[in-house]
Amino acid sequence: MESASAPAVAGPAAPAAPVVSANSTDLTLLVIENDPAGTFTVPSLLDAAGTRVRIRTARNLTEAERLLTDDVHCILLDLALPAPTSGPSAETGDDGENGDRLATLRHVLRLAPRHAVLALTSETDAERAAEAVRVGAQDYLFRDELDGRQLSRAIRYAVERKRADTAQHKLAESRLRAQENARLERGLLPTPLLEGSNLRFASRYRPGRSRALLGGDFYDTVRTSDGTVHAMIGDVCGHGPDEAALGVELRIAWRALTFAGLCGDELLSTLQQVLEHERESEEIFATLCTVDIAPDGRRAGLCLAGHPSPLIARQGRAAQLLPYEDGGPALGLLPRARWSRRQVELGGSWSLMMYTDGLIEGRVGPPGSKQRLGQDGMVEMINRQLAAGLSGEALLEAAVTEARDLNGGELTDDVALVLLDRG
């Protein structure tokens, strides 16, 4: 059996051979062999392009460990080298059997996990050479066939294969982390609890972070045992992972407090305490809008904590904003803030849309314009879409799409929308 790129450097009578490197930087080869001076008679090799391969030699693993610095690119290990006298490899192999014939290689792979490794053995031991590659070496060389040309190819191949293996490993780890994060973030998104209610629910969520599923915006909707439907939407300033985590904490706290019977100022005051304890900086705040809809669906209580007012569309009438006077400050801004709860009439048939400011802060007009869509622009946009017969998920998707188009590209902030329909 022959090596795919059998390398080896010259014996005593062999001339210095050129080494071809994948780049213009010098390479360093560490040779670990009982008698390296008998095989390697030159301190370095030079390829046709002038790239130098410096050669270091070690007679045992202890000496090799001392010479194994960060500038070593490749290790050439003699498989006939005695196994270490201490450590896991000294007693058993990976299969738990005594006398592991690759114990030395396993030791080197643990010692130098980021380095390319070439196994050196005799042609009569081809089976062990192939096994060395399965264990983790990048390639193997036969001592009887060592020459400068083979060594040149082997070092380059081993270094590049190690780089490719490392890159592939990092890519696999990155993909795994991304999958785990996606599953985690999906699990953190709310599941509305509206069993027994005749209200229809729709939502749209688009985080501002690239490749994220969760941002600093948060929302939830639940129905309590008395038949009241409670809805909430909020926005933690910023849209990074820390803000996303805080948003999840606030949402879960809101749900627990709502089921415990709190609403209005008492609920918001408690949520502010949660935020103050959990935030990393006193500069972090969160806006919030809560709506509690009476069991008959005709009235609601509205609380605003620095958040834009919801939009309501009643049957036969244009959509408009709910009254937003007397709203309180965002959570976390004032230590002893108070929030009033305003009673609003919804009517018999209506659609109520709650949203975060990521929807209304996108720009409109020609490129470079500083004009924002704003709440008035959003109301006009929603009325056009309602007139076109859109509702539910389709309405929310159209709203986000048009806001993005008007912005001339992706919206930079998180966007969350919640739509409740009656009749």
Side-chain angles (χ1 to χ4, degrees), residues 26-29 54 56 67-74 115:
D26 290 352
L27 296 176
T28 300
L29 174 70
R54 294 184 294 267
R56 297 178 185 173
L67 296 174
L68 186 61
T69 53
D70 290 339
D71 60 336
V72 172
H73 297 89
C74 186
H115 294 75

Side-chain angles (χ1 to χ4, degrees), residues 250-302:
L250 293 174
R251 179 186 67 77
I252 294 173
W254 175 88
R255 177 177 283 201
L257 294 170
T258 298
F259 279 126
L262 276 66
C263 69
D265 178 73
E266 186 179 14
L267 186 149
L268 293 178
S269 296
T270 307
L271 282 179
Q272 173 157 284
Q273 294 180 39
V274 173
L275 183 146
E276 290 171 345
H277 283 290
E278 298 297 330
R279 64 185 177 183
E280 293 187 351
S281 165
E282 292 185 358
E283 297 177 355
I284 300 296
F285 63 90
T287 66
L288 195 69
C289 168
T290 68
V291 175
D292 53 279
I293 302 170
D296 64 6
R298 303 184 66 89
R299 302 175 312 280
L302 171 66

Side-chain angles (χ1 to χ4, degrees), residues 21 58 69 75 117 169 244 260 280 324 329 332 340 410:
S21 175
T69 53
I75 298 171
V117 176
H169 181 68
E280 293 187 351
Y324 50 84
S340 61
E410 288 294 337

